[in-house]
Amino acid sequence: MTTGRLGTFLGSLRGQILLFLCGIALVAPWGNFPLNDDWSYARVVDGLVNRGVIDVAQGWASMTLMSVVAWGTVFTRAFGFSHVVLRLSTVMAALISIWLMSRLLTQRGGTRDEVNTATALMLANPVFFCLSLTFMTDVPFLMFALLATLLCVNALVSDRAADYVLFLVALLVAMMARQFAVLIAAAFGAAYIFTRSFTVRNLLRAGLPFLLCVALYALHQQVLFPVFGFPNLRSVYVDQAAGRFSDPIHLIVLYFARSAVGLLLTLGLYLSPFLILRVRSFRDVVGFTRTGQAITLAWMGLVVAVLVQGQRLMPLVRNVVYDFGVGPPRLMDVLPGGTQVYADAPALMWVVVTLFSCVASCVLLHQIIGAVVTVYRNWRQRADAAPIQLFALFYCAAYLVVIVVVSFFDRFLIALMPILLLLLISTGAPSVQSSRWQIGGAVALAVVLFVFSVAGTHDYHAWNRARWTALDRLSESMQISPMQIDGGIEFNGTHTYATDYQRSPDKSWWWVIDDRYAVTFGPVDGYDVIGEEPFRTWLPWCNSSSIKMVAKRN
């Protein structure tokens, strides 16, 4: 697909990892405090290491989780418990994930340049980069899932008993990190049986991984959760998805249209350095046939309708990346319904990003359609690559359906992107030399993503360091109880979480008992500023330069 010059621009895997580590050093993620939802996962590790108990925030953590906990426990046993140590365990998981991804794509026909492009995409991705510097479950799960996938495709190709058993073991480990691993089992079963004869042996081999995942899920809910205190896997998002189908049909259609548009535009943006190398002519954007051009026209009509109806630009789907940077700013005056805007990026920038994402999504859509056609043709011809291609296609299709139906967050995409790249690479056209502008464009896009990732994650850690310094001043210097502070979801989750907490409309929803004191980005009506902690940001559109400590007026 490309020439060796791409390797010169993007560098080797070692060079990319070195750049990734330099980015981490620039962020300086050494603060001993939780980020995002990782307070609830760190709580379980802390309970195991320091108290010998399984202490799960029931009702909040709703994934199997324990493989991730075990991974963090290994590091805390060696170096002691702290959020910094847990963060470093995730950095190690990120590096292993990139190596596994490189190994998977290399073994399955990816050229050096294709593999370098794919790994560069992951390392530069703002969601992957930010989550690599937390103890969120996404990156460790990606590591377990990629290991299971690598062993899965080995078992599909070789059909050896040893490879099959190793796959089953890795699959169950991944299943105990997140129940999404069942999709690997389902994709394996479908690919296995569709590329072999329908014998009893083949049916058993195809179905056993899925049956083991279902059995593990049942064991978890019937024994491990009620007896040992493992997380309850019943999720509020599943309940919402079930209730969504009782809505009027126009609301159901609107929800799925928003999810589909948000998902494909986000994927198009994050995969754009890879996609630009696939563009040979204008027809790669609009389609080569009348049918393809009709699909493009219908897709762009849907995109415009969703953008106009929602009056939104990119990023349409948020959890890690927001319109002002990276990392969710969950403080009283920002989310939800607060009056303060932490930062406000120029509207023109997001217009350009949205238009670019629309074009990239068209290229991606046609690449996916072409991949489906290739997989079908190779399956009919019993080509050697058919089992791997079918696995990747079934996994991507199942994963997309699940996250669209249940709930779609941008961080869910990092477990999809490596397998989607496997599908596109394994079904791609024979190598064709890319032009200089394509190579330069791919490098430029990867650099822009990486710079944004580093700068946004730096700012996220900067204001969080200031936030926790301010909270320490309130708690220690001023002797104020955590029960009287609204410190954001991480602070209140750590100190005041309760399964029977009753939300109050006049307080933040994150387990605030008494909001007499709070930390905020700006002044709040009814509160006096009693202190500040400054922080410095790299993104130029931040509206705040300090965390305020505020106290309610009498």
Side-chain angles (χ1 to χ4, degrees):
M1 184 185 71
T2 64
T3 70
R5 291 178 296 171
L6 184 59
T8 303
F9 282 94
L10 294 180
S12 64
L13 180 61
R14 290 180 181 177
Q16 292 174 10
I17 288 176
L18 179 60
L19 188 62
F20 180 74
L21 294 176
C22 289
I24 291 173
L26 290 172
V27 171
W30 320 126
N32 188 22
F33 45 76
L35 293 165
N36 206 335
D37 294 340
D38 71 5
W39 61 270
S40 61
Y41 314 132
R43 167 189 179 130
V44 187
V45 177
D46 181 37
L48 283 173
V49 172
N50 294 325
R51 291 174 281 131
V53 299
I54 298 175
D55 184 13
V56 174
Q58 298 291 357
W60 184 254
S62 58
M63 70 284 295
T64 43
L65 183 62
M66 299 311 289
S67 291
V68 179
V69 169
W71 177 258
T73 300
V74 169
F75 286 81
T76 54
R77 289 288 188 190
F79 304 108
F81 175 84
S82 73
H83 291 285
V84 176
V85 170
L86 291 177
R87 219 165 280 152
L88 291 176
S89 77
T90 311
V91 171
M92 181 59 68
L95 296 178
I96 294 173
S97 297
I98 294 301
W99 178 79
L100 288 169
M101 179 179 173
S102 174
R103 185 79 178 270
L104 173 66
L105 296 178
T106 301
Q107 285 188 359
R108 298 307 149 196
T111 67
R112 183 188 67 178
D113 295 338
E114 288 174 329
V115 173
N116 283 344
T117 305
T119 53
L121 283 177
M122 291 300 295
L123 289 170
N125 185 282
V127 178
F128 180 84
F129 188 87
C130 178
L131 292 178
S132 295
L133 302 182
T134 71
F135 190 57
M136 295 287 284
T137 62
D138 304 82
V139 173
F141 170 70
L142 177 64
M143 174 184 66
F144 294 128
L146 282 174
L147 177 60
T149 299
L150 182 62
L151 296 171
C152 169
V153 296
N154 288 343
L156 274 172
V157 171
S158 72
D159 210 20
R160 292 195 300 260
D163 290 332
Y164 184 73
V165 171
L166 287 174
F167 161 55
L168 292 180
V169 173
L171 175 66
L172 294 180
V173 172
M175 185 70 182
M176 285 304 294
R178 269 189 176 178
Q179 50 270 45
F180 272 163
V182 70
L183 301 180
I184 300 174
F188 169 85
Y192 191 92
I193 201 63
F194 270 92
T195 54
R196 288 167 174 82
S197 58
F198 285 84
T199 65
V200 173
R201 172 195 176 275
N202 288 343
L203 287 172
L204 288 175
R205 278 213 168 190
L208 181 59
F210 183 79
L211 293 176
L212 286 177
C213 288
V214 172
L216 182 59
Y217 184 94
L219 175 68
H220 192 287
Q221 287 300 87
Q222 298 302 316
V223 178
L224 300 180
F225 158 56
V227 176
F228 298 101
F230 282 38
N232 184 0
L233 302 184
R234 180 172 180 178
S235 170
V236 62
Y237 300 113
V238 175
D239 294 340
Q240 289 175 353
R244 194 172 290 125
F245 287 97
S246 62
D247 291 338
I249 187 65
H250 70 280
L251 294 180
I252 298 175
V253 171
L254 179 61
Y255 171 80
F256 288 124
R258 286 175 174 173
S259 296
V261 169
L263 190 150
L264 207 56
L265 261 61
T266 306
L267 273 176
L269 176 63
Y270 290 157
L271 294 177
S272 57
F274 176 83
L275 296 173
I276 198 172
L277 298 173
R278 293 271 176 130
V279 176
R280 304 299 169 201
S281 68
F282 184 65
R283 288 188 174 185
D284 285 305
V285 179
V286 300
F288 284 85
T289 65
R290 289 186 178 180
T291 301
Q293 292 164 8
I295 291 173
T296 300
L297 187 61
W299 169 249
M300 293 308 297
L302 178 63
V303 169
V304 171
V306 167
L307 294 177
V308 171
Q309 193 278 333
Q311 296 183 338
R312 291 273 296 277
L313 297 173
M314 287 286 288
L316 297 181
V317 180
R318 310 177 186 194
N319 185 255
V320 174
V321 177
Y322 287 75
D323 57 352
F324 39 70
V326 180
R330 294 169 172 170
L331 295 183
M332 172 201 282
D333 59 335
V334 178
L335 292 175
T339 57
Q340 178 71 21
V341 177
Y342 160 54
D344 189 15
L348 179 61
M349 185 190 80
W350 290 115
V351 169
V352 172
V353 170
T354 302
L355 291 174
F356 179 79
S357 300
C358 290
V359 175
S361 71
C362 288
V363 178
L364 178 58
L365 184 62
H366 289 298
Q367 290 288 316
I368 292 173
I369 293 172
V372 172
V373 172
T374 300
V375 172
Y376 177 74
R377 182 176 62 247
N378 288 344
W379 170 66
R380 292 293 301 270
Q381 296 174 355
R382 300 293 181 179
D384 292 339
I388 308 306
Q389 294 171 350
L390 279 170
F391 165 80
L393 178 60
F394 285 133
Y395 176 87
C396 291
Y399 196 95
L400 288 170
V401 168
V402 168
I403 63 176
V404 167
V405 170
V406 176
S407 188
F408 172 42
F409 297 131
D410 56 5
R411 59 189 175 88
F412 288 170
L413 292 181
I414 68 171
L416 171 66
M417 286 174 58
I419 313 303
L420 180 56
L421 286 166
L422 173 64
L423 174 66
L424 296 179
I425 288 173
S426 66
T427 58
S431 296
V432 176
Q433 180 172 325
S434 295
S435 66
R436 184 171 298 177
W437 74 265
Q438 285 177 294
I439 297 172
V443 173
L445 289 171
V447 169
V448 168
L449 281 174
F450 184 69
V451 169
F452 176 75
S453 299
V454 173
T457 305
H458 166 273
D459 294 356
Y460 182 50
H461 282 257
W463 70 256
N464 268 288
R465 277 193 295 272
R467 183 253 290 259
W468 284 92
T469 300
L471 288 167
D472 288 342
R473 285 177 59 186
L474 287 174
S475 300
E476 297 173 8
S477 301
M478 301 182 187
Q479 297 295 305
I480 297 169
S481 168
M483 301 289 183
Q484 296 178 294
I485 302 173
D486 180 347
I489 187 172
E490 296 93 338
F491 178 83
N492 290 95
T494 299
H495 292 284
T496 60
Y497 174 83
T499 55
D500 58 351
Y501 177 76
Q502 298 295 318
R503 295 186 182 184
S504 174
D506 60 340
K507 296 185 181 70
S508 302
W509 59 264
W510 41 70
W511 314 288
V512 177
I513 308 301
D514 181 359
D515 57 359
R516 181 169 304 189
Y517 299 89
V519 292
T520 62
F521 285 111
V524 178
D525 291 342
Y527 285 80
D528 294 317
V529 177
I530 60 175
E532 293 185 68
E533 282 294 331
F535 62 88
R536 297 182 63 184
T537 60
W538 288 355
L539 292 175
W541 44 76
C542 183
N543 289 335
S544 178
S545 59
S546 66
I547 292 292
K548 279 72 173 176
M549 294 173 284
V550 298
K552 188 175 288 187
R553 297 192 189 107
N554 294 327

